[in-house]
Amino acid sequence: MLYPPIEPYDTGELLVGDGNRVFYEQSGNPDGKPVVFLHGGPGGGTSPWHRRFFDPERYRIILLDQRGCGRSTPHASAPDADLRHNTTWHLVADIDLLRRNLGIDRWQVFGGSWGSALALAYAQTHPEAVTEIVLRGIFTLRRHELEWFYEGGAGAVFPDLWADFIAPIPVLERSRMIEAYHRRLFDPDPAVHRPAGLAWTRWEASTLTLRPDPELVAAMTDPDTAVAFARIENHYFVHEGWFREGQLIENARILRGIPAVIVQGRYDVCTPMMTAWDLHRAWPEADFVVVPDAGHAASEPGIATALRAATDRFADDAVTSEG
């Protein structure tokens, strides 16, 4: 489904201000077609297998860990973590600063889940810097998207897992789960924020795939990883991504001249197909691929295959246009 594992030929830290250092790496062909991979969460960080969506002979593959997670510092798992300077628009600025620092005029933007929201925000802000867009598991942080997954809707599909998610929250606070978790996740006492971080992250990790994936759940619930992931996600969700309601879909008109592919799992519970459908209707020029036997995760066979097909197609388009 994906290309063989490869190692980066370059790694570095980008000083982006506010005391933050953003980790990045480059792999593949230094003279190839540039692509930037935007990970999910927010707060998910990158993994070596993310390089494998791209032909290493034809792509210059750039991965970065967004503020506060992965190998970027300071890390959001620290008891005194300060996320005031961690917003969507800080990340958009970081991405474009990295592009300019790497001497890239234009690049392909690839993002899934939260990464799809960030890719849309970046491309709508800097359309002149984007050659193509590949999106997966569309998420735009509209109020009803957040309420579906964190306020009870998805609990109708996974009532057993939902029971574990609400267990740390007193009954009288369960009508506003995102806010209730916010109070606990940002309590400086590790005895409070660590169990909350694990519960929040376990809920998401357990619902990502069509079939249970215990290895994925175990990887995501490493304590430091889980706390950073939960804190950053919750911070973004409390602020609804710093977007105007419906902004990313409304502004899809800005992208109509940019070749794009949208890949969506039919049975995605985390980011249901309703959002991808709304984006498709607002942006019919983008190819819309529905994977009939998949949930949310990029690692699911049908989704991985569709994503690789998209990047292969755009690499071929580049070769054709250059020829």
Side-chain angles (χ1 to χ4, degrees):
M1 296 180 294
L2 300 179
Y3 286 95
I6 55 173
E7 294 297 320
Y9 64 79
D10 174 53
T11 62
E13 290 183 325
L14 184 69
L15 277 65
V16 294
D18 313 309
N20 284 276
R21 293 173 177 262
V22 168
F23 177 90
Y24 69 90
E25 64 167 57
Q26 300 189 78
S27 58
N29 181 354
D31 297 317
K33 179 184 181 68
V35 58
V36 61
F37 178 98
L38 303 180
H39 65 70
T46 57
S47 298
W49 72 277
H50 292 153
R51 307 166 191 145
R52 299 176 57 199
F53 289 103
F54 313 98
D55 183 343
E57 297 296 322
R58 295 187 288 175
Y59 275 101
R60 177 183 174 184
I61 306 159
I62 298 133
L63 274 57
L64 73 150
D65 290 335
Q66 296 156 29
R67 294 189 183 202
C69 66
R71 292 157 288 182
S72 294
T73 58
H75 203 263
S77 63
D80 59 349
D82 180 359
L83 301 186
R84 287 177 300 169
H85 303 294
N86 192 333
T87 74
T88 301
W89 306 112
H90 285 94
L91 300 187
V92 166
D94 294 349
I95 294 164
D96 208 55
L97 180 63
L98 179 61
R99 177 186 66 82
R100 288 181 278 116
N101 271 261
L102 295 178
I104 295 170
D105 291 329
R106 302 172 71 224
W107 54 6
Q108 183 182 126
V109 179
F110 180 112
S113 193
W114 156 251
S116 73
L118 183 57
L120 288 168
Y122 176 80
Q124 290 169 8
T125 305
H126 299 285
E128 74 289 344
V130 179
T131 54
E132 304 94 11
I133 304 171
V134 179
L135 304 176
R136 183 268 310 169
I138 306 305
F139 181 42
T140 67
L141 284 76
R142 293 176 297 179
R143 189 68 227 169
H144 64 279
E145 296 175 44
L146 296 171
E147 289 177 349
W148 159 260
F149 194 61
Y150 293 101
E151 303 291 354
V157 183
F158 294 102
D160 48 344
L161 301 176
W162 180 254
D164 293 337
F165 179 64
I166 66 175
I169 307 301
V171 172
L172 293 179
E173 295 184 58
R174 290 179 185 172
S175 63
R176 294 182 177 272
M177 290 294 292
I178 294 174
E179 293 177 13
Y181 262 99
H182 186 78
R183 289 187 284 273
R184 288 156 181 82
L185 288 168
F186 289 91
D187 189 302
D189 184 353
V192 176
H193 67 244
R194 287 175 78 84
L198 285 166
W200 175 284
T201 304
R202 187 177 293 110
W203 160 246
E204 182 162 337
S206 301
T207 56
L208 288 174
T209 50
L210 188 60
R211 297 181 181 276
D213 186 343
E215 292 183 5
L216 176 62
V217 175
M220 289 184 65
T221 52
D222 166 79
D224 285 347
T225 300
V227 169
F229 180 83
R231 279 181 161 175
I232 296 172
E233 274 203 341
N234 182 274
H235 169 65
Y236 274 67
F237 298 166
V238 163
H239 293 93
E240 298 180 357
W242 296 270
F243 297 127
R244 182 180 70 257
E245 180 71 8
Q247 174 178 338
L248 294 179
I249 292 175
E250 178 185 329
N251 287 349
R253 63 183 184 275
I254 297 170
L255 309 176
R256 286 183 168 164
I258 301 174
V261 175
I262 300 167
V263 177
Q264 178 70 35
R266 168 69 71 177
Y267 298 107
D268 186 336
V269 173
C270 297
T271 61
M273 187 173 147
M274 61 182 179
T275 305
W277 181 252
D278 289 345
L279 180 63
H280 166 60
R281 291 194 300 172
W283 188 18
E285 295 84 0
D287 288 350
F288 186 45
V289 180
V290 178
V291 181
D293 56 351
H296 180 74
S299 57
E300 294 186 82
I303 293 178
T305 299
L307 291 172
R308 174 176 162 170
T311 64
D312 283 351
R313 170 189 147 192
F314 289 140
D316 289 339
D317 287 351
V319 169
T320 299
S321 64
E322 289 165 6

